[in-house]
Amino acid sequence: MQPDLELVTVRHDESFKAWYHGYPYRTVRWHFHPEYEIQLIVATTGKMFVGDHIGRFAPGNLVLMGPNLPHNWVSDVPEGEVIEQRNLVVQFGQDFVARCMESFPELRQAEALLASSRRGVSFGEHTSEIVKPLFFQLIDARGVRRIALFMSILAALMDARDIEYLASPAYQPDPTAFGATRISHALSFIGQNLASELRESDLAQLSGQSVSAFSRYFRRHTGMTFVQYVNRLRIDLACELLTDSELSVTDICFKAGFNTLSNFNQRFLLTKGMAPSEFRRNQRLNDASREASEAAAARGHGIDNAPSIVPAVPSLTHARAAPVARLSH
């Protein structure tokens, strides 16, 4: 059975995603994603599926999975029973890992572990007991403490000796083949056409489903309606443009795919709690504060001319698309 693609979203002000979910839950199905994942089971027993591996799990089950490795944990829970918190999850991208290793050469020691994660790495009770309190703290941590806790968890996994590889050595996940699933086609089309008019009926036709069937399938997969999903991606793109470009708010409105400035302002206010112009002012205030702090620190170390700060500008592929009018559903 082809795995479904899970869309992992990381907040623009965070480096990785740390969260938990219960059971049943929409991601409890045979699925994959391009991100690394560390998962710790804290409740229920059942069967785990990782690549071509099938085994049992219980509370304390701790697994590191590499990019695009299909997986699923199915709990032995009576029908109708709901578990509020079954597992803790950390998901982090390959680009994040690469940037960390470039900035901190010491982290290259993690390369062997991350390479092994393509098969799924299960850790024993000793390592699980070390990681568990760090994991619980990480879920609610903010700011620099998140980074410190993440690094502590990664260090514990690197030091572990109680490990077991799950998928067979010959198992090779094929994300190209996985990408042929209906929902993967739909999500890819949306991402490539954010600034265009997007109709749910057109996406349903692309997926070979009726509109009602596609709507149910899309919501089960993403946790939101088609309109909510598209609006969220467009707001995320607008935030990037407001932060990293000098475009006017009006230009950003249309580059992000909104058909009117009033609609854009309304959606942005509902999502971010402030107008786009206020969001940009706050971001610039934050940048100015950082630059002033770094300049003051440089002067304190006897450097007369502090270096200018040139922020890295991410590739905004969506921003180059031609602006079109409206979202239909």
Side-chain angles (χ1 to χ4, degrees):
M1 183 176 65
Q2 290 280 39
D4 285 336
L5 169 68
E6 177 188 346
L7 187 71
V8 176
T9 57
V10 179
R11 288 170 41 138
H12 76 280
D13 58 346
E14 294 181 346
S15 303
F16 55 87
K17 184 175 182 178
W19 59 299
Y20 70 87
H21 66 74
Y23 188 89
Y25 189 69
R26 63 180 179 82
T27 61
V28 180
R29 66 188 190 283
W30 185 234
H31 71 284
F32 75 104
H33 42 73
E35 293 76 16
Y36 293 93
E37 177 173 308
I38 305 170
Q39 179 171 237
L40 174 64
I41 297 290
V42 295
T44 77
T45 61
K47 282 189 176 180
M48 65 175 174
F49 304 80
V50 179
D52 58 359
H53 171 85
I54 301 175
R56 296 290 301 178
F57 73 85
N61 176 249
L62 176 65
V63 176
L64 167 65
M65 287 162 289
N68 301 313
L69 179 63
H71 54 277
N72 191 21
W73 272 249
V74 181
S75 294
D76 299 326
V77 173
E79 185 175 354
E81 182 176 342
V82 176
I83 307 299
E84 293 299 325
Q85 186 181 70
R86 186 189 72 161
N87 50 308
L88 313 181
V89 182
V90 171
Q91 294 164 317
F92 52 100
Q94 300 173 69
D95 289 344
F96 169 65
V97 170
R99 292 195 303 270
C100 285
M101 290 184 176
E102 182 178 351
S103 300
F104 305 104
E106 295 87 347
L107 284 176
R108 295 197 179 277
Q109 296 178 19
E111 286 182 326
L113 174 66
L114 294 175
S116 298
S117 71
R118 70 173 185 82
R119 295 175 55 190
V121 183
S122 178
F123 299 87
E125 182 179 353
H126 175 72
T127 301
S128 179
E129 287 301 314
I130 294 173
V131 167
K132 184 176 179 179
L134 300 173
F135 223 135
F136 273 109
Q137 293 176 60
L138 177 60
I139 296 298
D140 295 320
R142 296 292 179 267
V144 175
R145 178 133 181 84
R146 295 181 85 248
I147 302 297
L149 288 166
F150 174 82
M151 293 301 177
S152 296
I153 291 174
L154 185 59
L157 301 186
M158 291 166 56
D159 292 340
R161 296 294 178 265
D162 52 345
I163 64 175
E164 175 189 357
Y165 302 117
L166 300 178
S168 64
Y171 183 80
Q172 293 289 338
D174 184 3
T176 303
F178 299 162
T181 60
R182 292 173 176 175
I183 197 66
S184 299
H185 273 312
L187 296 179
S188 176
F189 184 87
I190 293 170
Q192 294 172 14
N193 295 276
L194 261 188
S196 303
E197 180 180 359
L198 292 168
R199 298 177 183 273
E200 190 169 22
S201 57
D202 293 339
L203 270 293
Q205 184 177 7
L206 178 69
S207 301
Q209 297 174 291
S210 68
V211 175
S212 59
F214 174 78
S215 180
R216 290 192 301 270
Y217 186 57
F218 192 92
R219 182 157 194 158
R220 178 171 64 86
H221 180 84
T222 64
M224 59 190 78
T225 67
F226 173 76
V227 174
Q228 290 170 334
Y229 177 81
V230 172
N231 279 332
R232 189 196 62 186
L233 287 191
R234 286 175 169 170
I235 292 296
D236 287 346
L237 174 57
C239 287
E240 291 184 11
L241 292 171
L242 288 165
T243 301
D244 298 319
S245 79
E246 297 300 323
L247 294 172
S248 69
V249 172
T250 300
D251 287 341
I252 290 172
C253 161
F254 292 109
K255 282 186 175 295
F258 291 92
N259 58 318
T260 67
L261 186 59
S262 60
N263 182 35
F264 172 55
N265 286 330
Q266 181 184 31
R267 292 289 179 185
F268 199 97
L269 180 62
L270 286 172
T271 305
K272 295 297 180 181
M274 63 185 73
S277 56
E278 183 181 357
F279 179 88
R280 170 173 273 176
R281 284 196 300 272
N282 288 335
Q283 291 297 321
R284 289 178 174 173
L285 177 64
N286 188 36
D287 287 343
S289 174
R290 180 192 63 190
E291 292 172 7
S293 175
E294 292 177 353
R299 287 194 298 272
H301 285 82
I303 302 175
D304 294 330
N305 296 312
S308 59
I309 307 299
V310 182
V313 179
S315 174
L316 298 174
T317 55
H318 301 317
R320 293 192 292 270
V324 186
R326 67 185 183 279
L327 170 69
S328 301
H329 62 93

